[in-house]
Amino acid sequence: MSDPTELPGESASGGARRGRGGGGGGREARRALRTGGGIKQRRFIERKLSPFEILSEEGLAIIEQNADIILEEVGIEFRDDAEALQILKEAGCDVEGERVRFPRGFCRKIIRENAPATFTQHARNPERSVTIGGNATVFAPVYGPPFVRDLNGERRYATIEDFQNLVKLAYMSPALHHSGGTVCEPVDVPVNKRHLDMVYSHIRYSDKPFMGSVTAPERAEDSVALAKIVFGDDFVENNTVMINLINANSPMTFDGTMLGALKVYARHNQAVIVTPFILSGAMAPCTPAGVMAQTLAEAMAGIALAQLVRPGAPCVFGSFASSMSMQSGAPTFGTPEPAMVLYGCAALARRLGIPFRSGGSLCGSKLPDAQAAYESAATLQPTVLGGVNFVLHAAGWLEGGLVSSFEKLVMDADQLGMMQTFAEGPDLSENGQAMDAIREVGPGQHFLGCAHTQANFETAFYRSNVADNNSYEQWLAEGSLDAAQRTNNLVRKMLEEYEAPVLDPAVDEALNSFIAKAKESMPDAFA
Amino acid sequence: MSDPTELPGESASGGARRGRGGGGGGREARRALRTGGGIKQRRFIERKLSPFEILSEEGLAIIEQNADIILEEVGIEFRDDAEALQILKEAGCDVEGERVRFPRGFCRKIIRENAPATFTQHARNPERSVTIGGNATVFAPVYGPPFVRDLNGERRYATIEDFQNLVKLAYMSPALHHSGGTVCEPVDVPVNKRHLDMVYSHIRYSDKPFMGSVTAPERAEDSVALAKIVFGDDFVENNTVMINLINANSPMTFDGTMLGALKVYARHNQAVIVTPFILSGAMAPCTPAGVMAQTLAEAMAGIALAQLVRPGAPCVFGSFASSMSMQSGAPTFGTPEPAMVLYGCAALARRLGIPFRSGGSLCGSKLPDAQAAYESAATLQPTVLGGVNFVLHAAGWLEGGLVSSFEKLVMDADQLGMMQTFAEGPDLSENGQAMDAIREVGPGQHFLGCAHTQANFETAFYRSNVADNNSYEQWLAEGSLDAAQRTNNLVRKMLEEYEAPVLDPAVDEALNSFIAKAKESMPDAFA
């Protein structure tokens, strides 16, 4: 059994810490840092740069005031969840049918007084545990697509094998700090049993932190039960080992399924990301400032409920906002308006004092082509510069989230690596200033052979595993492949070289036994 | 003859202003704003957002101090230009052979006391004149490639017809505010006559501002002479109608050709962009802080010379820095290190008090594929967020600057449009806040039909002309084209629809007559 007591980082969640608490140093730890293929995993990002701000203090105060007005005057609907309505009523909210109106300042006060500013999500490999919040940024892969574009270029429904392969690729990507959740929908597994295979795949094929199921309260309970087999009962109840995506049914509505999952996870001290999922112009106004206010209101309402369920439960303010095609009504990505929403909401989350989730490598393109890359970069840059803490869809997203792409996952992960290096900022040490080199070389000479270059060259520049920077002639000789074609080859090679992280056979057996029993108890369901 | 007296903007260059100075309002002006195909040209960007800062005050002071040390102790070589050495010596510099060492603070003082913080570059269509400096950002196309990747996908030497087509595409791209300079090298024209056809093409096929030739002092003089035919002698001498790229021969060297062109343009009050062109690790140290200090030193030395030649001549601090492939020694683009250099140098230029040039849509890719787009975006975002004032290579650059690409120009220009919208920031007006819409719609309903959405939908979201956001089925039915293939079709359509801007036939005749006479006086030269 993996020992979650060897935790190198600080536990910010305030939970009890078992055991030795050592740093896990030495050869074993270094080995644990490497994945199959000898790739060195990178720790989550600790940004050294201040976030880019798009709104002044005054502008942010306007948005906050508007969110308060929405909560107080318009209200939020909590559907099909009498318990949630009861909790909110007892806390002093005005409940009228399923509509809940919040006293002015109610949500902000509860959140600020209870929700942690940062927390640790523990991984079964303690070297891979992540901090969520503050100046930390954690990249997780794509979430939710029912389709994959497979390695033969076919777009088809996803399977559990695709799921496992995506988990393996994320495991082997040094700048993906997290294994994610529904990296694709394995539609070959019955819908009521799928969550078991998904959670198991994350545990078995990766040792990075992962997400639980939210598609029904009992599936959330199953996710917690599986986590307890890995981490131990007490540890799970007093720490955070899963982070879970609770989407609002915008505008201004939560449905019973999401509320049920939210309550389960909050009660077990597992993190919830409360995310208004907004196609601007359809589920919110078509202006960035309108989307920001509505997003803040919805997120605060959901997070306030979580804090009432268990004060101090780790919560993340989520925002997902896309623009819309005027031609087709389809969501569009990489446009300037969602970037504005992202920067604005990131600042609002900082003011609220809790972690923020948004962004990723979003795109509408059908293929991992230039459109996909432009659009993904136009979301990823704001994600990092805006200071997003937890980044779902950081790699692998295609076609507006309908498709998970193996190539795109690996291409995006390369970009994530660049952003991670960027976020560390320039080195201003004496070596970084390099004045010795300039003095040594002087006018008209070159720096290739000087001592400073020789000493630093290996690590001086980010090395992409996707980009081709060879001569035109060599590129021709190698088949004139575009980035997607080259990455297809790379993905095949990675999957061949994949080595599973060690998992205690007893834990594996216990997981499989739990899953078999749970599956036996239900008939298959596919809808 | 186009009338440069109808100048809608402010002349920041302090030069004399001829004539009526009216706003050029009314139907004619509106027509002048539209290019062939009915596209509405966008004015240069006036950024409403504060730039992203990567260095603290203390960090910037360290870089400045290092630049001062380079200028004082190491010095800069001014090669093959006795006049430049004489000017610098008379101004108090220590000249030893071709090596010039500057008294501490000398360059900064001359620049701060003389060089304008912002200036206007006039276009022959006054609606297209641009401000260089301050919170303005001006996008110009690719500069310098000897090759094109043509519309049949063939990579070959560029011709004057390619040059004209690139000028036409830039003219038709609303977010390209500038026609640029050597959009490709028309190698079918003798090298000693090429500049005449290039400058003429910018004047004839566009009405946006353009760049002059820098490949020899006499070609710079020819460029000025052509400009005088369009703008008038006095106007040119007292205003700025061309901006010109003076590269340092890094490390710490200027060559006679560039110095000659610099002096010509400065004397005629035309703008010079003094740009250390640096492949990090070869022409400068391999660390961002080292590149920044060396860039600042070199740029200040060149700009100080320009200010000694003509105090008040418009000058731009330029930076071009790439990283390097450890495999091939080739320049690499879109990596984090050059982005750091860009942000740092932009801040250094602000502290120096003069406009800044850097960035663009740089990439190493051979094709307009995902690599090209990721890399371009990874440079363009810092370009805009860092507050670059003049952006060469903003569109059309491929293969490390060896190739101009028609498709890439149009794809990049689409991204420029997005960045322009982004730079305007979110609308916080009552309409932007959209609280009426939120009140009208309420929980669980949709915003598509509400009054606010109906009133704003047309302009709510940036509309890409390159991205495909149709359904998968429709995309399949339309041939499953990737972004490059779709853009190829778009380029063909644009070139078919191109309409030349009006040019006074007398001016056209005078230009052609000057060019014919100049060409007659020289034998053809191809090297």
Side-chain angles (χ1 to χ4, degrees):
Chain A
M1 180 165 166
S2 157
D3 184 352
T5 61
E6 284 197 1
L7 303 172
E10 291 301 307
S11 170
S13 64
R17 285 270 300 279
R18 298 186 306 167
R20 307 190 299 273
R27 197 160 55 167
E28 281 305 309
R30 282 194 298 278
R31 187 176 302 157
L33 279 169
R34 290 172 192 281
T35 60
I39 297 159
K40 185 154 184 272
Q41 175 62 30
R42 295 176 81 165
R43 200 158 174 269
F44 62 89
I45 299 175
E46 294 175 275
R47 282 173 283 104
K48 295 210 175 69
L49 307 170
S50 299
F52 182 72
E53 299 282 357
I54 200 170
L55 287 172
S56 63
E57 288 284 311
E58 192 193 349
L60 291 165
I62 289 171
I63 305 292
E64 286 172 341
Q65 190 176 21
N66 288 345
D68 285 349
I69 291 170
I70 293 169
L71 288 168
E72 187 180 15
E73 296 179 17
V74 181
I76 305 287
E77 295 217 349
F78 290 77
R79 293 197 177 153
D80 304 319
D81 193 330
E83 187 192 29
L85 293 170
Q86 188 60 31
I87 291 169
L88 291 162
K89 191 170 181 178
E90 283 172 11
C93 299
D94 169 26
V95 178
E96 187 183 337
E98 295 186 316
R99 182 85 62 104
V100 179
R101 291 184 178 82
F102 297 83
R104 179 68 61 108
F106 175 90
C107 293
R108 179 170 287 107
K109 183 165 185 291
I110 284 186
I111 295 166
R112 293 191 67 92
E113 288 178 359
N114 296 283
T118 67
F119 60 90
T120 297
Q121 183 188 354
H122 298 280
R124 72 176 182 90
N125 176 350
E127 302 278 352
R128 308 265 158 108
S129 295
V130 294
T131 296
I132 311 277
N135 68 340
T137 293
V138 173
F139 291 134
V142 58
Y143 189 106
F147 300 101
V148 292
R149 187 167 274 279
D150 72 18
L151 289 175
N152 301 316
E154 194 191 341
R155 179 189 186 272
R156 56 166 175 73
Y157 277 106
T159 66
I160 190 68
E161 192 188 344
D162 296 319
F163 189 101
Q164 291 161 359
N165 283 336
L166 290 162
V167 169
K168 291 174 183 176
L169 292 171
Y171 170 65
M172 295 177 79
S173 298
L176 277 166
H177 315 107
H178 202 281
S179 196
T182 310
V183 291
C184 63
E185 275 288 346
V187 299
D188 56 338
V189 181
V191 70
N192 56 338
K193 302 178 177 179
R194 204 174 279 172
H195 63 289
L196 298 163
D197 293 349
M198 292 198 283
V199 170
Y200 176 77
S201 296
H202 284 297
I203 297 168
R204 181 72 196 85
Y205 299 107
S206 185
D207 62 1
K208 297 183 181 180
F210 60 90
M211 304 174 77
S213 173
V214 294
T215 53
E218 62 273 19
R219 296 177 199 155
E221 290 286 7
D222 281 347
S223 303
V224 172
L226 290 168
K228 285 183 172 179
I229 294 171
V230 178
F231 292 92
D233 287 17
D234 283 358
F235 191 83
V236 168
E237 292 297 333
N238 294 299
N239 291 279
T240 297
V241 301
M242 281 186 292
I243 187 166
N244 309 284
L245 186 61
I246 306 296
N247 280 353
N249 215 334
S250 303
M252 295 162 276
T253 306
F254 287 91
D255 66 34
T257 302
M258 286 290 157
L259 291 171
L262 177 146
K263 288 183 295 177
V264 168
Y265 284 121
R267 285 192 173 114
H268 290 291
N269 202 47
Q270 302 308 301
V272 292
I273 312 167
V274 180
T275 307
F277 183 94
I278 288 174
L279 172 58
S280 306
M283 304 157 193
C286 60
T287 55
V291 174
M292 289 180 213
Q294 188 184 314
T295 298
L296 178 58
E298 293 176 9
M300 285 205 296
I303 294 167
L305 174 63
Q307 294 306 317
L308 291 170
V309 168
R310 174 163 170 164
C315 290
V316 178
F317 172 178
S319 165
F320 183 101
S322 81
S323 45
M324 196 198 288
S325 162
M326 294 185 51
Q327 285 78 27
S328 65
T332 56
F333 299 93
T335 49
E337 297 82 13
M340 293 185 202
V341 173
L342 189 158
Y343 281 117
C345 285
L348 293 165
R350 280 190 289 276
R351 286 160 68 100
L352 192 56
I354 59 172
F356 181 59
R357 170 253 157 161
S358 190
S361 295
L362 310 179
C363 66
S365 184
K366 318 295 184 288
L367 299 170
D369 64 351
Q371 179 185 343
Y374 278 126
E375 291 177 345
S376 297
T379 308
L380 182 60
Q381 290 261 351
T383 301
V384 176
L385 270 57
V388 176
N389 300 115
F390 184 73
V391 186
L392 209 49
H393 315 305
W397 161 294
L398 210 58
E399 209 188 303
L402 285 175
V403 172
S404 292
S405 160
F406 301 97
E407 292 94 343
K408 178 101 184 326
L409 187 141
V410 169
M411 287 180 181
D412 288 338
D414 183 40
Q415 295 298 310
L416 300 180
M418 298 198 204
M419 292 311 300
Q420 176 145 11
T421 297
F422 176 80
E424 287 161 7
D427 171 13
L428 288 182
S429 70
E430 209 161 301
N431 184 62
Q433 292 181 51
M435 288 300 285
D436 285 355
I438 291 172
R439 285 197 180 91
E440 178 185 341
V441 174
Q445 306 303 310
H446 71 74
F447 286 76
L448 288 168
C450 80
H452 182 269
T453 304
Q454 293 295 313
N456 289 279
F457 202 63
E458 279 282 334
T459 55
F461 308 117
Y462 180 85
R463 299 172 76 167
S464 167
N465 60 344
V466 166
D468 181 292
N469 293 299
N470 293 326
S471 69
Y472 176 69
E473 291 69 26
Q474 188 173 343
W475 174 79
L476 266 188
E478 291 175 359
S480 310
L481 302 181
D482 70 16
Q485 293 168 321
R486 289 194 306 273
T487 310
N488 185 282
N489 295 339
L490 180 57
V491 169
R492 291 172 192 273
K493 186 164 171 283
M494 286 172 74
L495 291 176
E496 272 169 29
E497 291 178 353
Y498 167 81
E499 291 171 36
V502 175
L503 178 65
D504 185 327
V507 171
D508 196 20
E509 202 184 307
L511 290 168
N512 277 299
S513 162
F514 178 92
I515 291 168
K517 209 169 147 190
K519 284 189 174 179
E520 266 170 33
S521 70
M522 312 179 245
D524 287 357
F526 276 92
Chain B
M1 179 165 165
S2 156
D3 184 352
T5 60
E6 285 197 359
L7 303 173
E10 291 302 306
S11 170
S13 63
R17 286 271 299 279
R18 298 185 306 167
R20 308 192 296 274
R27 197 160 55 168
E28 281 306 309
R30 283 194 297 277
R31 188 176 300 158
L33 280 169
R34 291 172 191 282
T35 60
I39 297 159
K40 184 152 184 274
Q41 174 63 30
R42 295 176 81 164
R43 203 159 173 267
F44 61 89
I45 298 175
E46 293 174 275
R47 282 173 284 105
K48 295 210 175 71
L49 308 170
S50 299
F52 182 72
E53 299 283 356
I54 200 170
L55 288 173
S56 63
E57 289 283 312
E58 192 192 351
L60 292 165
I62 289 171
I63 305 292
E64 286 172 340
Q65 190 176 20
N66 288 345
D68 284 350
I69 291 170
I70 294 168
L71 289 168
E72 188 180 16
E73 295 179 17
V74 181
I76 306 287
E77 296 217 350
F78 290 77
R79 293 197 176 153
D80 304 319
D81 192 330
E83 186 193 30
L85 294 170
Q86 188 60 31
I87 290 169
L88 291 161
K89 191 171 182 176
E90 283 171 12
C93 299
D94 169 26
V95 178
E96 187 183 338
E98 294 185 317
R99 181 84 62 106
V100 179
R101 291 184 179 80
F102 297 83
R104 180 68 60 109
F106 174 91
C107 293
R108 179 169 287 110
K109 183 166 185 289
I110 284 186
I111 294 166
R112 293 190 66 92
E113 287 178 358
N114 295 284
T118 67
F119 59 90
T120 297
Q121 183 188 354
H122 298 279
R124 73 176 181 90
N125 175 349
E127 303 277 354
R128 308 264 159 108
S129 295
V130 294
T131 297
I132 311 277
N135 69 340
T137 293
V138 172
F139 291 134
V142 58
Y143 188 105
F147 299 101
V148 291
R149 187 167 275 279
D150 71 19
L151 289 175
N152 301 317
E154 194 190 341
R155 180 188 185 272
R156 55 166 176 73
Y157 277 107
T159 66
I160 190 67
E161 191 188 343
D162 296 320
F163 189 102
Q164 290 161 359
N165 283 336
L166 290 162
V167 169
K168 291 175 185 176
L169 292 171
Y171 170 66
M172 295 177 79
S173 298
L176 277 166
H177 315 107
H178 202 280
S179 196
T182 309
V183 290
C184 64
E185 276 287 347
V187 300
D188 55 339
V189 181
V191 70
N192 56 339
K193 301 178 178 179
R194 203 174 280 173
H195 63 290
L196 298 163
D197 293 349
M198 292 199 282
V199 170
Y200 175 76
S201 296
H202 284 296
I203 297 168
R204 181 72 196 86
Y205 299 107
S206 184
D207 61 2
K208 298 183 181 180
F210 60 91
M211 303 175 78
S213 172
V214 295
T215 53
E218 61 273 20
R219 295 176 199 157
E221 290 286 6
D222 281 347
S223 303
V224 172
L226 289 168
K228 285 182 171 177
I229 294 171
V230 177
F231 292 92
D233 287 17
D234 283 358
F235 191 83
V236 169
E237 292 297 334
N238 294 300
N239 292 278
T240 298
V241 302
M242 279 185 293
I243 187 164
N244 310 284
L245 187 61
I246 306 297
N247 281 353
N249 216 335
S250 303
M252 296 162 276
T253 306
F254 287 91
D255 66 34
T257 302
M258 285 291 157
L259 291 171
L262 178 146
K263 289 184 295 178
V264 168
Y265 285 121
R267 284 192 173 113
H268 290 290
N269 201 48
Q270 302 308 302
V272 292
I273 311 167
V274 180
T275 307
F277 182 95
I278 287 174
L279 173 57
S280 306
M283 304 158 192
C286 60
T287 55
V291 174
M292 290 180 212
Q294 188 184 313
T295 298
L296 177 58
E298 293 177 11
M300 286 205 296
I303 294 167
L305 174 63
Q307 294 306 317
L308 290 170
V309 168
R310 174 163 170 165
C315 290
V316 177
F317 171 0
S319 166
F320 183 103
S322 80
S323 45
M324 196 198 287
S325 161
M326 295 184 51
Q327 286 78 24
S328 65
T332 56
F333 299 94
T335 50
E337 298 82 13
M340 294 184 201
V341 173
L342 188 157
Y343 282 117
C345 285
L348 293 165
R350 281 191 287 276
R351 286 160 67 100
L352 192 54
I354 59 171
F356 181 59
R357 172 252 156 163
S358 192
S361 296
L362 310 180
C363 66
S365 184
K366 318 295 184 289
L367 298 171
D369 64 351
Q371 180 184 343
Y374 278 125
E375 292 177 345
S376 297
T379 308
L380 182 60
Q381 290 260 352
T383 302
V384 176
L385 270 57
V388 176
N389 300 116
F390 185 73
V391 185
L392 210 49
H393 316 304
W397 161 295
L398 209 59
E399 209 187 304
L402 285 174
V403 172
S404 292
S405 160
F406 301 97
E407 291 95 342
K408 179 101 186 323
L409 187 141
V410 169
M411 285 180 182
D412 288 337
D414 182 40
Q415 295 298 310
L416 301 180
M418 297 197 206
M419 293 310 300
Q420 176 146 12
T421 296
F422 176 79
E424 287 159 9
D427 172 12
L428 288 183
S429 69
E430 210 160 303
N431 184 62
Q433 293 181 49
M435 288 299 285
D436 285 354
I438 292 173
R439 285 198 180 90
E440 179 186 337
V441 173
Q445 307 302 309
H446 72 73
F447 286 76
L448 287 168
C450 80
H452 181 269
T453 304
Q454 292 296 313
N456 289 279
F457 202 63
E458 278 283 332
T459 55
F461 307 118
Y462 180 85
R463 299 171 77 167
S464 167
N465 60 343
V466 166
D468 180 293
N469 292 300
N470 293 326
S471 69
Y472 176 69
E473 291 69 25
Q474 188 173 344
W475 174 79
L476 267 187
E478 290 175 0
S480 310
L481 302 181
D482 71 15
Q485 292 168 322
R486 289 194 307 272
T487 311
N488 185 283
N489 294 338
L490 180 57
V491 169
R492 291 173 193 271
K493 185 163 172 282
M494 287 172 75
L495 291 175
E496 272 171 28
E497 290 179 355
Y498 168 81
E499 290 171 36
V502 175
L503 178 64
D504 185 328
V507 171
D508 196 19
E509 203 184 308
L511 290 167
N512 277 300
S513 163
F514 177 92
I515 291 168
K517 210 169 146 189
K519 284 188 173 179
E520 266 170 33
S521 71
M522 313 179 244
D524 287 356
F526 276 91

